Amino acid sequence: MSDSEAPPAVAPEGVSGARGLPQEALEIASGYAFAGPALDLGVLLWDGRCLPDARIRIPLPVLNRHGLVAGATGTGKTKTLQLIAEQLSVQGVPVFLADIKGDVSGISAPGVSNDKVLARAQEVHQEWTPTACPAEFYALGGMGKGIPVRATVTSFGPVLLSKVLQLNQTQEQSLGLIFHYADQKGLELFDLKDLRAVVTFLTSDEGKTELKGIGGLSPATAGVILRSLTAFEAQGMSPFFGEPEFDTSELLRTAPDGRGTVSVLELPEVQDKPQLFSTFLMWMLADLFHDLPEVGDLDKPKLVFFFDEAHLLFTGASKAFLESITQTVRLIRSKGVGVFFVTQTPKDVPSDVLAQLGNRVQHALRAFTPDDQKALKATVKTFPNSAYDLEEVLTGIGTGEAVVTVLSEKGAPTPVAATRLRAPQSLMGPVDPVALDRAVQASPLYGRYAQAVDRESAYEKLAARDAAAAQAGRAPAKGGGRAKEEPSVVEQVVGSGIFKSLARSMGTQIGREITRSLFGTARRRR
């Protein structure tokens, strides 16, 4: 920490009203005196004093360089997300927030004045005005209050699905072969029963020859996948997969007044399914990555995506999964999307991903146990050199305070700044459930996604084949032989003239299978 008796220094241009600051504090404040548009986080803390004329800010153009919001439970991470989201919305930037505990919905309602809020506003020289943000509310599979968000199994892809099925690396690769087979044979995988039907077929007597033809997939591994899939369905996971599939471009919407829409994914109903919701968030991000064009560095992001409970995404992840996350985070910046991971400590995030997070807001950490102390030391090492004793600061700052470093307009890290954060201007808590229901049903998107649709796909095609076999007086899939004059639906598709003509097209793969990218997700065709 600084010597409190250090002489005052002259403020450089851009640090308004900061002439009385000590030299060390002035140097820190100068690092946040940006010329262009920026978000106000709060004001500098130095030697235990709040310095309201030393504003701590994030330049708007660098928010696509990603970030981290970390801290122990109860230190104010959610309010920080709310504070940043409000200001992004005002700047015309859409925001995505995952609401794990159900207390982020208040961003859609004006805040309530009280002594605590007014005292904080006075401390940081904030002109606090109750303000609501335009918001849309979503719910995975319609479980909870919100517009249903679903993904087709084929779009979700084998790598992400392996994560939620908790398959090992060999089983993940085998599931990829099953997807490849279904893609080639024209067997659409819209929901879980479609995938189960394909795996059941491949493990049947009739499907064994097909199984041999796709290479490297043993009947035992296919059986394990089938059992995992059946158990997954038994846990009530079916509603999350199917049609109509959510179009992630909905997250890029702005309100008629030009403010960015805040999309809130309500997760209280599925918070006991962490593997599922964290992987679904990654699907949404990967889908955006596939669809958005390259735009380079913009004056402001197209979207800022807050990835809450980020440690759940990385726990037990395969090498392929981690590599795909790293590549997505690295490349999506050039498509105008900023990603903020929200977790307890930086060590929750793999180093390859952490290295790409240029904007950091670190709330207080606890050091009650040897593991806590180890995490504290590791966190301090992730910060640039600082004028603070960061171990002391990070264990001593209060709720609503944080240690901040961001990227300047030139892309260089700013000095580390202990910060007293501003108060959000929207409601700090959940909105009334009745008001939330009313907002969901009034949304123009509700009619588009509310009702699930079950089109003809792999399950129906394979069921029709079995029905045709039974009508012909022979056993369906699990029977021994089948009459040559009664080809299966799969054989009819593969043997059709149109299919053969497309398969002979040596210059393209599109005729034979779905195009897949990162995570094995299917590229959306619009």
Side-chain angles (χ1 to χ4, degrees), residues 34 52 98 143 193 283 366 371 397 430 454 482 494:
F34 309 122
M143 293 186 68
K193 72 177 185 298
W283 168 76
R366 310 303 180 211
D371 284 344
I397 54 177
D454 189 9
R482 54 186 174 86
V494 177

Side-chain angles (χ1 to χ4, degrees), residues 250-321:
E250 310 283 14
L251 304 180
L252 305 175
R253 298 166 66 230
T254 55
D257 62 4
R259 289 184 296 166
T261 298
V262 180
S263 298
V264 182
L265 183 63
E266 293 290 323
L267 295 173
E269 296 294 327
V270 294
Q271 60 181 305
D272 60 338
K273 301 176 176 64
Q275 291 282 350
L276 178 71
F277 71 68
S278 64
T279 310
F280 241 95
L281 295 183
M282 196 65 234
W283 168 76
M284 297 173 83
L285 197 58
D287 195 65
L288 282 166
F289 172 77
H290 294 162
D291 287 356
L292 292 174
E294 295 279 341
V295 293
D297 288 327
L298 302 172
D299 292 337
K300 62 183 181 182
K302 286 186 173 182
L303 172 72
V304 175
F305 191 105
F306 288 93
F307 211 122
D308 207 354
E309 300 290 342
H311 65 282
L312 298 171
L313 184 67
F314 305 111
T315 302
S318 68
K319 182 180 179 182
F321 189 85

Side-chain angles (χ1 to χ4, degrees), residues 323-402:
E323 288 174 348
S324 296
I325 292 174
T326 304
Q327 189 174 359
T328 300
V329 173
R330 181 181 296 123
L331 298 178
I332 203 169
R333 177 181 72 81
S334 64
K335 300 193 174 191
V337 176
V339 183
F340 274 70
F341 291 96
V342 185
T343 188
Q344 294 204 358
T345 73
K347 64 176 290 188
D348 293 335
V349 181
S351 56
D352 287 346
V353 176
L354 186 62
Q356 300 175 58
L357 310 183
N359 302 300
R360 302 274 299 279
V361 180
Q362 176 68 59
H363 288 266
L365 290 174
R366 310 303 180 211
F368 300 142
T369 69
D371 284 344
D372 290 343
Q373 293 168 5
K374 185 177 179 181
L376 174 62
K377 291 181 182 297
T379 297
V380 169
K381 290 179 181 178
T382 65
F383 280 90
N385 290 334
S386 168
Y388 296 93
D389 179 342
L390 285 181
E391 286 192 31
E392 179 184 334
V393 171
L394 285 172
T395 54
I397 54 177
T399 301
E401 297 175 346

